[in-house]
Amino acid sequence: MRQDQEDPYQRRSARVYAGAGRVGRGPAAPHGGVLYDAVLLDRDGTLIEDVPYNGDPEKVRPLPGVRAALDRLRAAGLRLAVVTNQSGLARGYFDEEQMRAVHARVEELLGGFDAWLVCPHDDADGCDCRKPSPGLVHAAARELGTSASRCVLVGDIGRDVGAALAAGAAGVLVPTPVTRPEEIAAAGWVAPDLPSAVDEILRRQRAVQPARDADGVGTALVVRSDSAGDVLVTGPAIRAVAAGARRVVLLCGPRGRAAAELLPGVDEIIEHPLPWIDPAPTPVDPDDMRRLTARLAAVGADEAVVFTSFHQSALPLALLLRMAGITRIAAISDDYPGALVDIRHRVPAGVPEPERALSLAAAAGHRLPAGDEPVLRLRDGAVASRPAAVGDPGYVVLHPGSAASSRACPTELAARIAGALSAAGHRVLVTGGPDERTVTARVAAAGGTDLGGTTDLAGLAALVADAAAVVVGNTGPAHLAAAAGVPVVSLFAPTVPFGQWGPYRVPTVRLGDAGAPCRDTRAASCPVPGHPCLSGVDPAEVVEAVRTLTVSGGGVR
Ligand SMILES: [Zn+2]
């Protein structure tokens, strides 16, 4: 094509520039369990001082510590790309030649980048690459020979984090004085500056790699009590243990049983409620505890790995495991474990639950094998077939309920969302458990098909797997969507941290008031009248989020 002809595709898509310092590394070595291949960096306010619409190389000023931080990433083998909105091009404040001169100066001061991805558009262009749309992140991943889910993006405003999540990448916010408080509240991962963000990226990368691989284990007992979502997010860690063990036995609770059946790597399931974990526990029955201990002893495990979430204690079970004769026990415990735990692991706050669990597996000497991505997955053949009555794939699943009402979408709002999605041309399937039929019927009446109470978890997994997107609160089906690689519009009540419990490594748009008073309360029922964290969501935002997630990139696997 001649230079003076306009390429209609080029006009609407990101421009890709090779970095001057491009090192031309091949794809990352096939080494199991690596979280990230590449770090994507916003330019203005993240790498260099933000000089609005700068076309002058003399005005390029790196932020403190950035050069050394980038060199730490390079030394660790991570590839680097810049992903930047430059609407000054669309607005004619500078031309492409001036921009290239600025980028050359950035590389002179900060070292080479493997690629530069630039959105030259303005909001009015409606392109798919201007952050928070995910186009630049997808383009960067392609350019670097990896996938968005193996990238982490660092930027200083909500648009950066939004683009990362919408592509299925991790996003770190490094706030500056221009960052709005609501952007900080909504981000799942916040670091004070780029050097700190880099330290945490490298720490998380190392944390899932064993210092020393465990010797072959015969039988491993893994434990994850609590609900379906808890079991699903522990899946990658259980696969890591399974990779180094001949047999894996999973102890779970009754509410997690159906999810346990869906996990790869599990050879046998023991179902038993744990009264120190269950939200509505029955009194401790000494005979029942003795029966459980005997059952655990009969497993003959060479090691036990006890997975918990950040507000649960592994220690009561560790005592029973000791009484069952298990001599090697690994667990996360901030509380002093004395003689109850052999591998005591600790994890800072804010780490995604799947990585938190993977880091415990790594502390016990287990890693995911090469080729097994650190993503949620379901066992082949475990997912039921989709009922023919729901029609072709490509519908939107709307799941309003949650076992914890504080994390459910208000029925009236869910009905308006169903109406808005239908009006926008989507086929909407409304799902829910047998006890949520009244809600699903009311929601579906506003626009959609009521499937409340018609599927078990495996059936719901089948429905979700063929959806274009899933609209759901912070509850089990969000993790089913992540396991299927289906994009999620997350109506996320901030009762627990989004960075820990948000849908993992799947394109996501987060909606709702992240700064609402229920934040970090872990409340099961909403402590604030009117459920304000979610009731303020505008159905038009949900329609727009579905568009963002399905137009560019879409599903990732
Ligand atoms: Zn663009």
Side-chain angles (χ1 to χ4, degrees):
M1 178 175 303
R2 285 171 41 170
Q3 287 293 307
D4 56 355
Q5 273 179 331
E6 256 201 337
D7 172 356
Y9 176 74
Q10 197 62 345
R11 218 180 55 212
R12 286 193 37 84
S13 61
R15 297 192 196 169
V16 178
Y17 304 87
R22 193 182 178 89
V23 263
R25 276 170 292 207
H31 192 55
V34 172
L35 294 179
Y36 306 120
D37 291 332
V39 181
L40 315 183
L41 300 128
D42 170 55
R43 193 190 84 177
D44 301 320
T46 302
L47 293 174
I48 59 174
E49 285 176 18
D50 187 7
V51 179
Y53 306 118
N54 182 27
D56 179 359
E58 293 308 309
K59 292 187 182 157
V60 171
R61 303 264 181 279
L63 288 163
V66 166
R67 172 69 201 240
L70 295 177
D71 285 343
R72 289 201 293 282
L73 294 173
R74 293 178 179 114
L78 285 151
R79 276 164 275 175
L80 305 181
V82 181
V83 288
T84 178
N85 286 352
Q86 293 297 335
S87 64
L89 282 171
R91 296 172 194 179
Y93 294 135
F94 52 84
D95 62 22
E96 205 156 313
E97 196 180 326
Q98 287 170 303
M99 187 186 72
R100 285 170 185 275
V102 167
H103 291 177
R105 180 63 177 152
V106 171
E107 293 205 321
E108 199 180 314
L109 294 166
L110 295 178
F113 293 89
D114 297 290
W116 287 80
L117 290 298
V118 177
C119 167
H121 311 109
D122 170 334
D123 277 330
D125 292 330
C127 69
D128 300 327
C129 49
R130 183 164 165 80
K131 296 177 285 186
S133 287
L136 279 187
V137 179
H138 286 302
R142 266 196 306 276
E143 189 63 12
L144 299 173
T146 185
S147 61
S149 66
R150 294 175 72 95
C151 295
V152 50
L153 187 156
V154 188
D156 67 321
I157 57 174
R159 278 177 180 267
D160 297 308
V161 175
L165 298 191
V172 193
L173 185 73
V174 287
T176 65
V178 307
T179 314
R180 296 199 301 267
E182 61 270 28
E183 294 176 329
I184 299 172
W189 182 353
V190 180
D193 49 31
L194 182 71
S196 315
V198 163
D199 290 343
E200 179 62 9
I201 288 166
L202 293 172
R203 193 200 64 75
R204 291 189 187 187
Q205 180 93 313
R206 280 192 305 269
V208 300
Q209 298 294 327
R212 179 177 160 275
D213 289 304
D215 300 329
V217 173
T219 297
L221 175 67
V222 294
V223 183
R224 186 57 154 114
S225 205
D226 222 347
S227 64
D230 301 276
V231 171
L232 290 172
V233 298
T234 313
I238 292 173
R239 289 181 346 245
V241 173
R246 272 206 306 281
R247 177 166 164 260
V248 172
V249 179
L250 169 63
L251 169 64
C252 69
R255 296 180 311 129
R257 173 69 189 245
E261 305 271 4
L262 301 179
L263 290 185
V266 176
D267 299 298
E268 186 188 336
I269 295 170
I270 299 175
E271 178 188 321
H272 201 285
L274 301 181
W276 53 94
I277 300 278
D278 273 18
T282 50
V284 174
D285 171 359
D287 285 337
D288 189 46
M289 288 296 110
R290 280 183 207 107
R291 275 192 297 273
L292 173 61
T293 307
R295 180 82 201 273
L296 295 173
V299 169
D302 303 296
E303 102 177 325
V305 186
V306 184
F307 297 105
T308 45
S309 65
F310 69 109
H311 49 77
Q312 296 170 342
S313 173
L315 298 184
L317 185 70
L319 178 60
L320 298 194
L321 294 170
R322 280 288 192 244
M323 293 170 71
I326 296 175
T327 54
R328 188 169 189 265
I329 300 174
I332 296 174
S333 187
D334 283 330
D335 291 330
Y336 173 63
L340 295 184
V341 170
D342 304 288
I343 298 155
R344 178 204 192 179
H345 184 55
R346 301 180 83 172
V347 183
V351 175
E353 284 287 315
E355 282 174 34
R356 190 171 184 276
L358 272 170
S359 75
L360 173 60
H366 304 289
R367 73 172 91 213
L368 284 168
D372 189 358
E373 290 286 308
V375 294
L376 274 51
R377 277 205 295 120
L378 303 183
R379 191 159 55 81
D380 291 340
V383 174
S385 58
R386 182 167 49 83
V390 302
D392 293 331
Y395 42 76
V396 174
V397 168
L398 171 59
H399 190 96
S402 166
S405 64
S406 60
R407 296 188 264 119
C409 178
T411 305
E412 183 271 338
L413 171 61
R416 286 192 291 129
I417 291 171
L421 286 168
S422 295
H426 295 287
R427 281 179 294 137
V428 179
L429 305 184
V430 184
T431 57
D435 54 339
E436 294 168 343
R437 281 185 164 141
T438 319
V439 169
T440 59
R442 277 179 58 195
V443 172
T449 305
D450 179 12
L451 296 178
T454 64
T455 60
D456 58 10
L457 197 71
L460 184 56
L463 280 178
V464 161
D466 280 335
V470 176
V471 181
V472 62
N474 175 25
T475 186
H479 305 300
L480 284 181
V486 170
V488 179
V489 179
S490 176
L491 307 171
F492 195 95
T495 52
V496 292
F498 181 76
Q500 288 177 228
W501 287 101
Y504 188 62
R505 291 198 166 206
V506 71
T508 299
V509 171
R510 177 188 187 171
L511 297 177
D513 178 3
C518 63
R519 186 179 172 92
D520 296 336
T521 57
R522 294 176 2 215
S525 60
C526 182
V528 191
H531 202 8
C533 66
L534 294 181
S535 58
V537 169
D538 180 348
E541 292 180 280
V542 177
V543 174
E544 176 57 20
V546 169
R547 194 199 67 80
T548 298
L549 291 170
T550 53
V551 160
S552 69
V556 288
R557 299 197 282 285

